[in-house]
Amino acid sequence: TQQMLRNFPDLFAQIQVLYTSPLLRAIQTAELVLEQNSALDFEFLPELDKLFPPHDFVDHLRSIASQKTMAFVGHDPHLSRS
């Protein structure tokens, strides 16, 4: 994640809302992004927890669709299956 932040700073600067799983590793990753872009909105999204079925995340994503640029911090293979 740190290498991605260094290599693609403009990409991360465009994020307006960051959603993360409530699990520790995802929170740690989200914190690295927040260090680069402290102006973005930050929210926990329980549906990103690998204990939830992937379709719960997809359903929630449909309900929050907006004009904002969103990023999600979750877990693989959970997100890959979404």
Side-chain angles (χ1 to χ4, degrees), residues 14-46:
Q14 295 175 25
I15 298 169
Q16 295 171 302
V17 183
L18 179 65
Y19 294 95
T20 185
S21 158
L23 298 181
L24 179 60
R25 183 64 191 108
I27 293 169
Q28 292 169 335
T29 299
E31 287 173 343
L32 292 172
V33 176
L34 286 167
E35 287 175 9
Q36 297 294 313
N37 184 353
S38 60
L40 58 83
D41 292 332
F42 174 76
E43 294 184 35
F44 290 105
L45 186 61

PDB file of all heavy atoms in Angstrom, residues 14-46:
ATOM      1  N   GLN A  14      -7.581  11.912  -5.563  1.00  0.00           N
ATOM      2  CA  GLN A  14      -8.922  12.081  -6.133  1.00  0.00           C
ATOM      3  C   GLN A  14     -10.021  11.439  -5.286  1.00  0.00           C
ATOM      4  O   GLN A  14     -11.190  11.727  -5.487  1.00  0.00           O
ATOM      5  CB  GLN A  14      -8.968  11.489  -7.536  1.00  0.00           C
ATOM      6  CG  GLN A  14      -8.075  12.212  -8.511  1.00  0.00           C
ATOM      7  CD  GLN A  14      -8.054  11.541  -9.857  1.00  0.00           C
ATOM      8  OE1 GLN A  14      -8.979  10.846 -10.246  1.00  0.00           O
ATOM      9  NE2 GLN A  14      -6.977  11.744 -10.600  1.00  0.00           N
ATOM     10  N   ILE A  15      -9.651  10.600  -4.360  1.00  0.00           N
ATOM     11  CA  ILE A  15     -10.643   9.912  -3.521  1.00  0.00           C
ATOM     12  C   ILE A  15     -11.347  10.930  -2.631  1.00  0.00           C
ATOM     13  O   ILE A  15     -10.715  11.757  -1.998  1.00  0.00           O
ATOM     14  CB  ILE A  15      -9.973   8.831  -2.652  1.00  0.00           C
ATOM     15  CG1 ILE A  15      -9.321   7.766  -3.533  1.00  0.00           C
ATOM     16  CG2 ILE A  15     -10.991   8.203  -1.702  1.00  0.00           C
ATOM     17  CD1 ILE A  15      -8.421   6.822  -2.757  1.00  0.00           C
ATOM     18  N   GLN A  16     -12.674  10.853  -2.598  1.00  0.00           N
ATOM     19  CA  GLN A  16     -13.461  11.750  -1.755  1.00  0.00           C
ATOM     20  C   GLN A  16     -14.045  11.027  -0.538  1.00  0.00           C
ATOM     21  O   GLN A  16     -14.251  11.634   0.500  1.00  0.00           O
ATOM     22  CB  GLN A  16     -14.588  12.373  -2.575  1.00  0.00           C
ATOM     23  CG  GLN A  16     -14.068  13.269  -3.684  1.00  0.00           C
ATOM     24  CD  GLN A  16     -15.164  13.698  -4.609  1.00  0.00           C
ATOM     25  OE1 GLN A  16     -15.847  12.872  -5.201  1.00  0.00           O
ATOM     26  NE2 GLN A  16     -15.338  15.005  -4.728  1.00  0.00           N
ATOM     27  N   VAL A  17     -14.335   9.736  -0.707  1.00  0.00           N
ATOM     28  CA  VAL A  17     -14.889   8.943   0.390  1.00  0.00           C
ATOM     29  C   VAL A  17     -14.133   7.618   0.448  1.00  0.00           C
ATOM     30  O   VAL A  17     -13.966   6.948  -0.565  1.00  0.00           O
ATOM     31  CB  VAL A  17     -16.397   8.650   0.194  1.00  0.00           C
ATOM     32  CG1 VAL A  17     -16.945   7.883   1.380  1.00  0.00           C
ATOM     33  CG2 VAL A  17     -17.181   9.932  -0.021  1.00  0.00           C
ATOM     34  N   LEU A  18     -13.683   7.254   1.640  1.00  0.00           N
ATOM     35  CA  LEU A  18     -12.971   5.994   1.842  1.00  0.00           C
ATOM     36  C   LEU A  18     -13.787   5.135   2.791  1.00  0.00           C
ATOM     37  O   LEU A  18     -14.082   5.534   3.922  1.00  0.00           O
ATOM     38  CB  LEU A  18     -11.585   6.256   2.439  1.00  0.00           C
ATOM     39  CG  LEU A  18     -10.724   5.038   2.721  1.00  0.00           C
ATOM     40  CD1 LEU A  18     -10.359   4.331   1.416  1.00  0.00           C
ATOM     41  CD2 LEU A  18      -9.469   5.435   3.473  1.00  0.00           C
ATOM     42  N   TYR A  19     -14.183   3.972   2.310  1.00  0.00           N
ATOM     43  CA  TYR A  19     -14.915   3.005   3.123  1.00  0.00           C
ATOM     44  C   TYR A  19     -13.954   1.878   3.472  1.00  0.00           C
ATOM     45  O   TYR A  19     -13.192   1.421   2.633  1.00  0.00           O
ATOM     46  CB  TYR A  19     -16.099   2.417   2.348  1.00  0.00           C
ATOM     47  CG  TYR A  19     -17.170   3.417   2.027  1.00  0.00           C
ATOM     48  CD1 TYR A  19     -17.195   4.077   0.805  1.00  0.00           C
ATOM     49  CD2 TYR A  19     -18.173   3.692   2.948  1.00  0.00           C
ATOM     50  CE1 TYR A  19     -18.192   4.994   0.510  1.00  0.00           C
ATOM     51  CE2 TYR A  19     -19.183   4.601   2.655  1.00  0.00           C
ATOM     52  CZ  TYR A  19     -19.185   5.241   1.436  1.00  0.00           C
ATOM     53  OH  TYR A  19     -20.166   6.153   1.153  1.00  0.00           O
ATOM     54  N   THR A  20     -14.005   1.417   4.719  1.00  0.00           N
ATOM     55  CA  THR A  20     -13.122   0.333   5.126  1.00  0.00           C
ATOM     56  C   THR A  20     -13.860  -0.700   5.956  1.00  0.00           C
ATOM     57  O   THR A  20     -14.828  -0.395   6.647  1.00  0.00           O
ATOM     58  CB  THR A  20     -11.900   0.876   5.913  1.00  0.00           C
ATOM     59  OG1 THR A  20     -11.006  -0.214   6.179  1.00  0.00           O
ATOM     60  CG2 THR A  20     -12.312   1.510   7.218  1.00  0.00           C
ATOM     61  N   SER A  21     -13.369  -1.896   5.873  1.00  0.00           N
ATOM     62  CA  SER A  21     -13.822  -2.968   6.749  1.00  0.00           C
ATOM     63  C   SER A  21     -13.463  -2.601   8.184  1.00  0.00           C
ATOM     64  O   SER A  21     -12.474  -1.900   8.422  1.00  0.00           O
ATOM     65  CB  SER A  21     -13.109  -4.263   6.350  1.00  0.00           C
ATOM     66  OG  SER A  21     -13.095  -5.197   7.403  1.00  0.00           O
ATOM     67  N   PRO A  22     -14.233  -3.085   9.148  1.00  0.00           N
ATOM     68  CA  PRO A  22     -13.894  -2.796  10.540  1.00  0.00           C
ATOM     69  C   PRO A  22     -12.755  -3.669  11.098  1.00  0.00           C
ATOM     70  O   PRO A  22     -12.377  -3.505  12.252  1.00  0.00           O
ATOM     71  CB  PRO A  22     -15.210  -3.062  11.278  1.00  0.00           C
ATOM     72  CG  PRO A  22     -15.947  -4.019  10.422  1.00  0.00           C
ATOM     73  CD  PRO A  22     -15.536  -3.731   9.009  1.00  0.00           C
ATOM     74  N   LEU A  23     -12.202  -4.550  10.277  1.00  0.00           N
ATOM     75  CA  LEU A  23     -11.123  -5.410  10.750  1.00  0.00           C
ATOM     76  C   LEU A  23      -9.785  -4.653  10.757  1.00  0.00           C
ATOM     77  O   LEU A  23      -9.540  -3.774   9.930  1.00  0.00           O
ATOM     78  CB  LEU A  23     -11.019  -6.665   9.882  1.00  0.00           C
ATOM     79  CG  LEU A  23     -12.268  -7.561   9.887  1.00  0.00           C
ATOM     80  CD1 LEU A  23     -12.054  -8.786   9.009  1.00  0.00           C
ATOM     81  CD2 LEU A  23     -12.637  -7.979  11.299  1.00  0.00           C
ATOM     82  N   LEU A  24      -8.927  -5.004  11.695  1.00  0.00           N
ATOM     83  CA  LEU A  24      -7.698  -4.266  11.981  1.00  0.00           C
ATOM     84  C   LEU A  24      -6.823  -4.027  10.749  1.00  0.00           C
ATOM     85  O   LEU A  24      -6.374  -2.907  10.507  1.00  0.00           O
ATOM     86  CB  LEU A  24      -6.885  -4.974  13.071  1.00  0.00           C
ATOM     87  CG  LEU A  24      -5.571  -4.307  13.446  1.00  0.00           C
ATOM     88  CD1 LEU A  24      -5.800  -2.902  13.976  1.00  0.00           C
ATOM     89  CD2 LEU A  24      -4.820  -5.154  14.452  1.00  0.00           C
ATOM     90  N   ARG A  25      -6.542  -5.038   9.969  1.00  0.00           N
ATOM     91  CA  ARG A  25      -5.621  -4.878   8.832  1.00  0.00           C
ATOM     92  C   ARG A  25      -6.175  -3.867   7.826  1.00  0.00           C
ATOM     93  O   ARG A  25      -5.431  -3.054   7.274  1.00  0.00           O
ATOM     94  CB  ARG A  25      -5.348  -6.233   8.163  1.00  0.00           C
ATOM     95  CG  ARG A  25      -4.357  -6.141   7.033  1.00  0.00           C
ATOM     96  CD  ARG A  25      -2.974  -5.710   7.542  1.00  0.00           C
ATOM     97  NE  ARG A  25      -2.118  -5.384   6.426  1.00  0.00           N
ATOM     98  CZ  ARG A  25      -1.742  -4.151   6.097  1.00  0.00           C
ATOM     99  NH1 ARG A  25      -2.116  -3.117   6.818  1.00  0.00           N
ATOM    100  NH2 ARG A  25      -0.973  -3.944   5.063  1.00  0.00           N
ATOM    101  N   ALA A  26      -7.469  -3.895   7.588  1.00  0.00           N
ATOM    102  CA  ALA A  26      -8.076  -2.934   6.670  1.00  0.00           C
ATOM    103  C   ALA A  26      -7.999  -1.517   7.237  1.00  0.00           C
ATOM    104  O   ALA A  26      -7.731  -0.559   6.511  1.00  0.00           O
ATOM    105  CB  ALA A  26      -9.526  -3.318   6.382  1.00  0.00           C
ATOM    106  N   ILE A  27      -8.208  -1.390   8.528  1.00  0.00           N
ATOM    107  CA  ILE A  27      -8.119  -0.070   9.169  1.00  0.00           C
ATOM    108  C   ILE A  27      -6.694   0.477   9.037  1.00  0.00           C
ATOM    109  O   ILE A  27      -6.501   1.659   8.737  1.00  0.00           O
ATOM    110  CB  ILE A  27      -8.550  -0.143  10.646  1.00  0.00           C
ATOM    111  CG1 ILE A  27     -10.041  -0.471  10.739  1.00  0.00           C
ATOM    112  CG2 ILE A  27      -8.230   1.159  11.375  1.00  0.00           C
ATOM    113  CD1 ILE A  27     -10.507  -0.831  12.140  1.00  0.00           C
ATOM    114  N   GLN A  28      -5.710  -0.367   9.219  1.00  0.00           N
ATOM    115  CA  GLN A  28      -4.314   0.063   9.092  1.00  0.00           C
ATOM    116  C   GLN A  28      -4.025   0.552   7.671  1.00  0.00           C
ATOM    117  O   GLN A  28      -3.341   1.557   7.477  1.00  0.00           O
ATOM    118  CB  GLN A  28      -3.372  -1.072   9.471  1.00  0.00           C
ATOM    119  CG  GLN A  28      -3.419  -1.421  10.941  1.00  0.00           C
ATOM    120  CD  GLN A  28      -2.691  -2.713  11.264  1.00  0.00           C
ATOM    121  OE1 GLN A  28      -2.537  -3.596  10.423  1.00  0.00           O
ATOM    122  NE2 GLN A  28      -2.239  -2.819  12.508  1.00  0.00           N
ATOM    123  N   THR A  29      -4.554  -0.150   6.688  1.00  0.00           N
ATOM    124  CA  THR A  29      -4.382   0.267   5.296  1.00  0.00           C
ATOM    125  C   THR A  29      -5.096   1.592   5.041  1.00  0.00           C
ATOM    126  O   THR A  29      -4.545   2.492   4.414  1.00  0.00           O
ATOM    127  CB  THR A  29      -4.911  -0.822   4.340  1.00  0.00           C
ATOM    128  OG1 THR A  29      -4.165  -2.028   4.561  1.00  0.00           O
ATOM    129  CG2 THR A  29      -4.782  -0.397   2.886  1.00  0.00           C
ATOM    130  N   ALA A  30      -6.319   1.716   5.546  1.00  0.00           N
ATOM    131  CA  ALA A  30      -7.078   2.964   5.376  1.00  0.00           C
ATOM    132  C   ALA A  30      -6.343   4.139   6.010  1.00  0.00           C
ATOM    133  O   ALA A  30      -6.349   5.249   5.462  1.00  0.00           O
ATOM    134  CB  ALA A  30      -8.473   2.809   5.975  1.00  0.00           C
ATOM    135  N   GLU A  31      -5.707   3.918   7.133  1.00  0.00           N
ATOM    136  CA  GLU A  31      -4.960   4.992   7.802  1.00  0.00           C
ATOM    137  C   GLU A  31      -3.825   5.509   6.930  1.00  0.00           C
ATOM    138  O   GLU A  31      -3.530   6.701   6.930  1.00  0.00           O
ATOM    139  CB  GLU A  31      -4.441   4.511   9.153  1.00  0.00           C
ATOM    140  CG  GLU A  31      -5.533   4.384  10.190  1.00  0.00           C
ATOM    141  CD  GLU A  31      -5.067   3.740  11.489  1.00  0.00           C
ATOM    142  OE1 GLU A  31      -3.995   3.089  11.502  1.00  0.00           O
ATOM    143  OE2 GLU A  31      -5.789   3.877  12.492  1.00  0.00           O
ATOM    144  N   LEU A  32      -3.183   4.624   6.169  1.00  0.00           N
ATOM    145  CA  LEU A  32      -2.115   5.054   5.263  1.00  0.00           C
ATOM    146  C   LEU A  32      -2.668   5.978   4.182  1.00  0.00           C
ATOM    147  O   LEU A  32      -2.043   6.969   3.819  1.00  0.00           O
ATOM    148  CB  LEU A  32      -1.437   3.836   4.622  1.00  0.00           C
ATOM    149  CG  LEU A  32      -0.635   2.943   5.549  1.00  0.00           C
ATOM    150  CD1 LEU A  32      -0.184   1.688   4.815  1.00  0.00           C
ATOM    151  CD2 LEU A  32       0.546   3.696   6.127  1.00  0.00           C
ATOM    152  N   VAL A  33      -3.849   5.655   3.671  1.00  0.00           N
ATOM    153  CA  VAL A  33      -4.481   6.500   2.657  1.00  0.00           C
ATOM    154  C   VAL A  33      -4.872   7.840   3.271  1.00  0.00           C
ATOM    155  O   VAL A  33      -4.677   8.899   2.670  1.00  0.00           O
ATOM    156  CB  VAL A  33      -5.699   5.793   2.028  1.00  0.00           C
ATOM    157  CG1 VAL A  33      -6.420   6.709   1.044  1.00  0.00           C
ATOM    158  CG2 VAL A  33      -5.285   4.494   1.347  1.00  0.00           C
ATOM    159  N   LEU A  34      -5.404   7.797   4.485  1.00  0.00           N
ATOM    160  CA  LEU A  34      -5.809   9.030   5.168  1.00  0.00           C
ATOM    161  C   LEU A  34      -4.616   9.954   5.428  1.00  0.00           C
ATOM    162  O   LEU A  34      -4.769  11.176   5.427  1.00  0.00           O
ATOM    163  CB  LEU A  34      -6.517   8.711   6.477  1.00  0.00           C
ATOM    164  CG  LEU A  34      -7.944   8.177   6.344  1.00  0.00           C
ATOM    165  CD1 LEU A  34      -8.419   7.595   7.665  1.00  0.00           C
ATOM    166  CD2 LEU A  34      -8.878   9.277   5.878  1.00  0.00           C
ATOM    167  N   GLU A  35      -3.446   9.388   5.639  1.00  0.00           N
ATOM    168  CA  GLU A  35      -2.250  10.215   5.838  1.00  0.00           C
ATOM    169  C   GLU A  35      -1.932  11.022   4.579  1.00  0.00           C
ATOM    170  O   GLU A  35      -1.410  12.127   4.662  1.00  0.00           O
ATOM    171  CB  GLU A  35      -1.048   9.336   6.201  1.00  0.00           C
ATOM    172  CG  GLU A  35      -1.099   8.784   7.601  1.00  0.00           C
ATOM    173  CD  GLU A  35       0.043   7.823   7.888  1.00  0.00           C
ATOM    174  OE1 GLU A  35       0.982   7.713   7.054  1.00  0.00           O
ATOM    175  OE2 GLU A  35       0.000   7.158   8.926  1.00  0.00           O
ATOM    176  N   GLN A  36      -2.256  10.467   3.419  1.00  0.00           N
ATOM    177  CA  GLN A  36      -1.997  11.135   2.152  1.00  0.00           C
ATOM    178  C   GLN A  36      -3.096  12.114   1.765  1.00  0.00           C
ATOM    179  O   GLN A  36      -2.876  13.041   1.003  1.00  0.00           O
ATOM    180  CB  GLN A  36      -1.841  10.105   1.022  1.00  0.00           C
ATOM    181  CG  GLN A  36      -0.671   9.188   1.193  1.00  0.00           C
ATOM    182  CD  GLN A  36       0.647   9.934   1.109  1.00  0.00           C
ATOM    183  OE1 GLN A  36       0.849  10.731   0.212  1.00  0.00           O
ATOM    184  NE2 GLN A  36       1.535   9.683   2.052  1.00  0.00           N
ATOM    185  N   ASN A  37      -4.305  11.870   2.265  1.00  0.00           N
ATOM    186  CA  ASN A  37      -5.459  12.679   1.870  1.00  0.00           C
ATOM    187  C   ASN A  37      -6.385  12.829   3.076  1.00  0.00           C
ATOM    188  O   ASN A  37      -7.400  12.144   3.180  1.00  0.00           O
ATOM    189  CB  ASN A  37      -6.181  12.018   0.693  1.00  0.00           C
ATOM    190  CG  ASN A  37      -7.330  12.846   0.169  1.00  0.00           C
ATOM    191  OD1 ASN A  37      -7.701  13.863   0.747  1.00  0.00           O
ATOM    192  ND2 ASN A  37      -7.912  12.410  -0.930  1.00  0.00           N
ATOM    193  N   SER A  38      -6.044  13.716   3.966  1.00  0.00           N
ATOM    194  CA  SER A  38      -6.810  13.866   5.209  1.00  0.00           C
ATOM    195  C   SER A  38      -8.146  14.562   4.999  1.00  0.00           C
ATOM    196  O   SER A  38      -8.980  14.581   5.901  1.00  0.00           O
ATOM    197  CB  SER A  38      -5.987  14.636   6.246  1.00  0.00           C
ATOM    198  OG  SER A  38      -5.673  15.922   5.750  1.00  0.00           O
ATOM    199  N   ALA A  39      -8.385  15.101   3.813  1.00  0.00           N
ATOM    200  CA  ALA A  39      -9.644  15.813   3.549  1.00  0.00           C
ATOM    201  C   ALA A  39     -10.787  14.879   3.186  1.00  0.00           C
ATOM    202  O   ALA A  39     -11.936  15.301   3.162  1.00  0.00           O
ATOM    203  CB  ALA A  39      -9.432  16.819   2.425  1.00  0.00           C
ATOM    204  N   LEU A  40     -10.496  13.635   2.921  1.00  0.00           N
ATOM    205  CA  LEU A  40     -11.577  12.751   2.469  1.00  0.00           C
ATOM    206  C   LEU A  40     -12.454  12.282   3.625  1.00  0.00           C
ATOM    207  O   LEU A  40     -12.031  12.265   4.775  1.00  0.00           O
ATOM    208  CB  LEU A  40     -11.038  11.559   1.678  1.00  0.00           C
ATOM    209  CG  LEU A  40     -10.034  10.600   2.309  1.00  0.00           C
ATOM    210  CD1 LEU A  40     -10.711   9.564   3.154  1.00  0.00           C
ATOM    211  CD2 LEU A  40      -9.239   9.935   1.214  1.00  0.00           C
ATOM    212  N   ASP A  41     -13.694  11.936   3.292  1.00  0.00           N
ATOM    213  CA  ASP A  41     -14.606  11.365   4.276  1.00  0.00           C
ATOM    214  C   ASP A  41     -14.198   9.917   4.510  1.00  0.00           C
ATOM    215  O   ASP A  41     -13.769   9.223   3.590  1.00  0.00           O
ATOM    216  CB  ASP A  41     -16.048  11.412   3.762  1.00  0.00           C
ATOM    217  CG  ASP A  41     -16.582  12.825   3.654  1.00  0.00           C
ATOM    218  OD1 ASP A  41     -16.121  13.687   4.418  1.00  0.00           O
ATOM    219  OD2 ASP A  41     -17.449  13.055   2.805  1.00  0.00           O
ATOM    220  N   PHE A  42     -14.365   9.454   5.730  1.00  0.00           N
ATOM    221  CA  PHE A  42     -13.946   8.110   6.119  1.00  0.00           C
ATOM    222  C   PHE A  42     -15.092   7.436   6.848  1.00  0.00           C
ATOM    223  O   PHE A  42     -15.670   8.022   7.757  1.00  0.00           O
ATOM    224  CB  PHE A  42     -12.717   8.232   7.031  1.00  0.00           C
ATOM    225  CG  PHE A  42     -12.267   6.946   7.629  1.00  0.00           C
ATOM    226  CD1 PHE A  42     -11.577   6.021   6.873  1.00  0.00           C
ATOM    227  CD2 PHE A  42     -12.527   6.658   8.959  1.00  0.00           C
ATOM    228  CE1 PHE A  42     -11.146   4.824   7.436  1.00  0.00           C
ATOM    229  CE2 PHE A  42     -12.105   5.468   9.528  1.00  0.00           C
ATOM    230  CZ  PHE A  42     -11.400   4.558   8.758  1.00  0.00           C
ATOM    231  N   GLU A  43     -15.431   6.219   6.421  1.00  0.00           N
ATOM    232  CA  GLU A  43     -16.528   5.499   7.059  1.00  0.00           C
ATOM    233  C   GLU A  43     -16.209   4.012   7.145  1.00  0.00           C
ATOM    234  O   GLU A  43     -15.622   3.444   6.229  1.00  0.00           O
ATOM    235  CB  GLU A  43     -17.826   5.665   6.266  1.00  0.00           C
ATOM    236  CG  GLU A  43     -18.361   7.066   6.247  1.00  0.00           C
ATOM    237  CD  GLU A  43     -19.706   7.157   5.540  1.00  0.00           C
ATOM    238  OE1 GLU A  43     -20.503   6.209   5.659  1.00  0.00           O
ATOM    239  OE2 GLU A  43     -19.935   8.169   4.874  1.00  0.00           O
ATOM    240  N   PHE A  44     -16.636   3.409   8.252  1.00  0.00           N
ATOM    241  CA  PHE A  44     -16.580   1.953   8.363  1.00  0.00           C
ATOM    242  C   PHE A  44     -17.777   1.381   7.623  1.00  0.00           C
ATOM    243  O   PHE A  44     -18.885   1.907   7.724  1.00  0.00           O
ATOM    244  CB  PHE A  44     -16.624   1.504   9.826  1.00  0.00           C
ATOM    245  CG  PHE A  44     -15.374   1.828  10.577  1.00  0.00           C
ATOM    246  CD1 PHE A  44     -15.340   2.871  11.482  1.00  0.00           C
ATOM    247  CD2 PHE A  44     -14.224   1.094  10.365  1.00  0.00           C
ATOM    248  CE1 PHE A  44     -14.185   3.183  12.176  1.00  0.00           C
ATOM    249  CE2 PHE A  44     -13.054   1.392  11.050  1.00  0.00           C
ATOM    250  CZ  PHE A  44     -13.040   2.441  11.955  1.00  0.00           C
ATOM    251  N   LEU A  45     -17.540   0.314   6.891  1.00  0.00           N
ATOM    252  CA  LEU A  45     -18.607  -0.354   6.162  1.00  0.00           C
ATOM    253  C   LEU A  45     -18.582  -1.832   6.563  1.00  0.00           C
ATOM    254  O   LEU A  45     -17.746  -2.598   6.070  1.00  0.00           O
ATOM    255  CB  LEU A  45     -18.402  -0.184   4.657  1.00  0.00           C
ATOM    256  CG  LEU A  45     -19.483  -0.702   3.739  1.00  0.00           C
ATOM    257  CD1 LEU A  45     -20.814   0.013   4.006  1.00  0.00           C
ATOM    258  CD2 LEU A  45     -19.074  -0.471   2.291  1.00  0.00           C
ATOM    259  N   PRO A  46     -19.468  -2.231   7.481  1.00  0.00           N
ATOM    260  CA  PRO A  46     -19.446  -3.607   7.974  1.00  0.00           C
ATOM    261  C   PRO A  46     -19.522  -4.649   6.861  1.00  0.00           C
ATOM    262  O   PRO A  46     -18.951  -5.727   6.985  1.00  0.00           O
ATOM    263  CB  PRO A  46     -20.669  -3.685   8.889  1.00  0.00           C
ATOM    264  CG  PRO A  46     -20.927  -2.279   9.299  1.00  0.00           C
ATOM    265  CD  PRO A  46     -20.511  -1.435   8.125  1.00  0.00           C
TER     266      PRO A  46
END
